[in-house]
Amino acid sequence: DAGITQSPRHKVTETGTPVTLRCHQTENHRYMYWYRQDPGHGLRLIHYSYGVKDTDKGEVSDGYSVSRSKTEDFLLTLESATSSQTSVYFCATSGGTGGETQYFGPGTRLLVL
Amino acid sequence: SQQGEEDPQALSIQEGENATMNCSYKTSINNLQWYRQNSGRGLVHLILIRSNEREKHSGRLRVTLDTSKKSSSLLITASRAADTASYFCARGEDAGGTSYGKLTFGQGTILTVHP
């Protein structure tokens, strides 16, 4: 497995509070991605990064922001959590010798009450 | 939505049988990938087929791609109970080198293999 960790693995928070999820990789992969996974929707891309400080929006970016200050870390922030952001969040990376293959972290289960 | 469509949504078979899952998409692709997800875990890459390829094999997996029909299929032969998982197709964009490796995932097929 590529060395991808996510923290926290589980979080319960209240509506209106900010939440930050962290993705850490040890593979020196150039590209990093945040997805959310919901029943009936598969995985949907929230934001992605193509280098340090280079990020762009994905399919479902409203309400989310990201930052990448170094190669190994990609942070996803929910500025003001809403119940619709209750989901499982996955980080993924690509760009190593595996080319276009993406390597996934274990996921973070977020419940917004 | 630009997501691919997967069919069937759920598939239940007996050990030893073959399992076939299909994926359709709407726009041009650079590559198409299949991933597996065990319950409560992250996705794991299975196989990648490029737009100029028609068939690819990896162990008990066989993937076909028909770009004229914008469809792909994943065949798992001689299935085992351990193959029970969700399977996702993912479309790699044909964006002239600026796709940044982005993938668009289908909704997945839930495969259950009974011992």
Side-chain angles (χ1 to χ4, degrees):
Chain A
D1 290 343
I4 303 171
T5 57
Q6 293 184 230
S7 58
R9 294 291 314 280
H10 303 270
K11 186 168 182 68
V12 180
T13 191
E14 294 186 349
T15 298
T17 60
V19 176
T20 295
L21 308 182
R22 180 183 184 234
C23 178
H24 179 78
Q25 58 136 332
T26 59
E27 302 298 317
N28 201 35
H29 286 174
R30 176 183 177 187
Y31 304 122
M32 298 185 75
Y33 314 87
W34 276 108
Y35 294 92
R36 60 178 290 172
Q37 184 175 32
D38 305 287
H41 290 279
L43 274 81
R44 293 180 290 175
L45 183 64
I46 304 171
H47 281 279
Y48 64 99
S49 170
Y50 47 96
V52 173
K53 297 186 179 173
D54 292 323
T55 66
D56 205 347
K57 297 178 180 180
E59 180 186 355
V60 289
S61 59
D62 287 349
Y64 301 95
S65 63
V66 290
S67 66
R68 192 172 179 197
S69 59
K70 45 187 177 179
T71 299
E72 55 267 37
D73 289 326
F74 193 31
L75 303 181
L76 176 70
T77 297
L78 290 66
E79 304 289 349
S80 177
T82 68
S83 59
S84 64
Q85 293 176 312
T86 291
S87 187
V88 181
Y89 292 85
F90 287 99
C91 172
T93 71
S94 73
T97 56
E100 301 102 324
T101 298
Q102 290 192 10
Y103 300 90
F104 282 78
T108 294
R109 290 187 175 273
L110 177 67
L111 174 61
V112 183
L113 300 174
Chain B
S1 169
Q2 295 184 14
Q3 289 184 341
E5 297 295 327
E6 294 195 52
D7 159 59
Q9 290 187 337
L11 181 60
S12 181
I13 60 174
Q14 296 294 128
E15 254 189 342
E17 295 180 340
N18 295 342
T20 299
M21 289 159 266
N22 302 295
C23 171
S24 63
Y25 56 92
K26 298 178 181 178
T27 60
S28 62
I29 61 170
N30 173 277
N31 65 81
L32 192 136
Q33 303 181 35
W34 286 88
Y35 288 78
R36 166 189 170 136
Q37 183 181 34
N38 287 83
S39 181
R41 308 288 292 273
L43 279 71
V44 175
H45 179 260
L46 295 175
I47 195 166
L48 179 153
I49 187 166
R50 300 198 178 280
S51 60
N52 61 354
E53 298 176 309
R54 292 297 167 258
E55 186 170 316
K56 205 161 185 179
H57 296 254
S58 177
R60 292 184 296 112
L61 305 180
R62 172 180 167 244
V63 170
T64 60
L65 178 64
D66 186 336
T67 52
S68 66
K69 295 181 179 178
K70 291 185 166 58
S71 67
S72 174
S73 66
L74 171 68
L75 168 68
I76 303 175
T77 60
S79 63
R80 305 165 182 168
D83 293 329
T84 294
S86 294
Y87 292 82
F88 295 88
C89 69
R91 174 174 61 83
E93 295 181 1
D94 180 9
T98 60
S99 69
Y100 304 117
K102 290 185 295 181
L103 297 175
T104 301
F105 284 83
Q107 297 182 15
T109 294
I110 301 172
L111 173 66
T112 303
V113 182
H114 299 281

